[in-house]
């Protein structure tokens, strides 16, 4: 498996890009000055960024509205200072805005990603091929990948059933998913990810076999009950989600009693360890 920390900072090899992880939004916020320094290598990165920021604002760029400020540790004196930051999407848009020859490799990389997405529109199988190749490079077996694809399909079946029962927003899908997880594991999906010390990575990709089975059981049972009972609206679907999660909880209790082993594991499939930084706002 690749032991490299797979964040946007990998694009800027040899350059330090300070970042802060927002666990609620599940996204990184990067120091704009650090990105500018990596892209353009100006003599005065802060002045370069201030001039570019004024230019973007004068042009009415939406990017300027996405700039936030967070306290980050200065590499010079180790103290925390308010620093202009952008999330991952904002950094990609910033790359497109930097008029520097040094930024061209990054722009070409983004263009390649864009082409891949267009190709997938015409031939969706290309996206599946890329997913399989990605998992193989990560060290997963073809059997595991096959099971993962089936799990994605089953998840689609569940959200389709929820939609038929009056659930339409991603926020409501997340609420119902959390009810299933809380019932059998005692944690929401976000809490489960923190338990496993992962961030943007897929929770399921970092589960053990028994955790995957219990997750599948909770979701499959929820879907089958929903198809029969046809609950309408969020409140009724929450009750069904809890019932589905309860079936998985009972299975978990039986497993733990029979094996004398705890079903939940804090292990993950990462070959790196995240270092937590506290942001003082």
């Amino acid at each position: 498996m690749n032991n490299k920390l797979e964040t946007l900072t990998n694009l800027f090899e040899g350059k330090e890009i300070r970042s802060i992880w927002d666990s609620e939004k599940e996204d990184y916020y990067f120091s704009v000055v650090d990105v500018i320094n990596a892209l353009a290598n100006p003599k005065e990165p802060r002045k370069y960024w201030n001039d570019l920021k004024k230019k973007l604002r004068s042009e009415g760029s939406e990017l300027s509205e996405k700039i936030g400020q967070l306290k980050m540790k200065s590499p010079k004196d180790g103290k925390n200072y308010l620093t202009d930051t952008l999330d991952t999407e904002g950094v990609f848009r910033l790359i497109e805005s930097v008029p520097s020859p040094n930024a061209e490799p990054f722009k070409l990389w983004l263009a390649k990603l864009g082409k891949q997405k267009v190709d997938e529109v015409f031939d969706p199988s290309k996206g599946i091929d890329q997913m399989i190749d990605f998992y193989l490079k990560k060290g997963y077996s073809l059997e595991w990948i096959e099971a993962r694809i089936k799990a994605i399909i089953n998840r689609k079946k569940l959200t389709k059933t929820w939609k038929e029962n009056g659930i339409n927003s991603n926020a409501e899908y997340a609420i119902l998913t959390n009810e299933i997880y809380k019932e059998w594991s005692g944690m929401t999906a976000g809490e489960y990810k923190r338990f496993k010390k992962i961030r943007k990575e897929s929770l399921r990709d970092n589960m053990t076999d028994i955790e995957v089975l219990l997750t599948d059981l909770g979701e499959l049972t929820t879907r089958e009950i929903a198809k029969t009972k046809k609950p309408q609206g969020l409140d009724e679907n929450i009750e069904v989600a809890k019932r589905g999660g309860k079936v998985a909880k009972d299975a978990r209790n039986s497993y733990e009693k029979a094996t004398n082993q705890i079903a939940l594991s804090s292990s993950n499939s990462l070959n790196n360890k995240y270092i937590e930084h506290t942001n003082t706002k």
Side-chain angles (χ1 to χ4, degrees), residues 166-178:
I167 304 301
N168 296 301
S169 72
N170 288 333
E172 289 178 322
Y173 293 153
I175 290 171
L176 294 174
T177 300
N178 279 333

Side-chain angles (χ1 to χ4, degrees), residues 96-241:
E96 294 287 356
S97 303
V98 174
S100 168
N102 294 333
E104 286 307 308
F106 301 96
K107 293 179 182 179
L108 289 173
W109 179 77
L110 287 175
K112 183 179 179 181
L113 286 182
K115 181 181 181 302
Q116 288 176 354
K117 293 302 179 184
V118 171
D119 288 344
E120 289 171 17
V121 171
F122 291 99
D123 184 358
S125 68
K126 290 183 180 294
I128 299 174
D129 288 340
Q130 289 171 6
M131 182 185 75
I132 293 173
D133 288 343
F134 180 80
Y135 276 128
L136 287 173
K137 289 176 182 177
K138 283 278 193 178
Y140 293 101
S141 67
L142 283 171
E143 291 76 17
W144 184 95
I145 297 170
E146 182 180 7
R148 185 70 177 92
I149 292 173
K150 289 180 179 178
I152 293 172
I153 294 172
N154 287 331
R155 173 68 184 183
K156 291 294 184 183
K157 291 180 180 178
L158 175 58
T159 55
K160 180 177 181 292
T161 300
W162 279 338
K163 188 172 183 179
E164 291 171 351
N165 293 340
I167 304 301
N168 296 301
S169 72
N170 288 333
E172 289 178 322
Y173 293 153
I175 290 171
L176 294 174
T177 300
N178 279 333
E179 291 298 334
I180 298 172
Y181 274 115
K182 282 192 296 184
E183 194 64 32
W184 77 262
S185 74
M187 296 179 284
T188 65
E191 290 168 343
Y192 208 155
K193 293 180 79 169
R194 288 192 286 275
F195 171 66
K196 285 185 169 289
K197 297 180 178 58
I198 58 177
R199 292 182 176 176
K200 291 181 77 69
E201 296 83 7
S202 163
L203 178 55
R204 188 182 288 267
D205 288 0
N206 288 276
M207 285 181 170
T208 62
D209 289 345
I210 185 62
E211 288 175 307
V212 170
L213 286 172
L214 292 172
T215 300
D216 288 345
L217 179 59
E219 293 191 345
L220 186 148
T221 305
T222 298
R223 188 182 83 214
E224 292 304 309
I225 296 174
K227 284 166 62 177
T228 302
K229 299 296 183 181
K230 300 188 183 304
Q232 293 300 309
L234 184 59
D235 289 342
E236 291 184 12
N237 276 282
I238 284 176
E239 291 305 312
V240 170

Side-chain angles (χ1 to χ4, degrees), residues 1 29 35 42 53 62 69 71 81 92 94 139 142 152 155-156 174 208 220 234-235 247 260 272:
M1 287 190 181
Y29 286 82
V35 174
K53 184 163 48 174
E62 293 182 1
Q69 284 200 323
K71 282 192 174 181
Y81 297 98
F92 287 148
L94 175 65
L142 283 171
I152 293 172
R155 173 68 184 183
K156 291 294 184 183
T208 62
L220 186 148
L234 184 59
D235 289 342
V247 171
N260 199 30
N272 55 262

Side-chain angles (χ1 to χ4, degrees), residues 35-49:
V35 174
I36 288 292
N37 190 40
L39 287 173
N41 194 27
K43 292 182 179 179
E44 300 180 62
R46 294 186 186 281
K47 184 178 184 305
Y48 186 102
W49 166 233

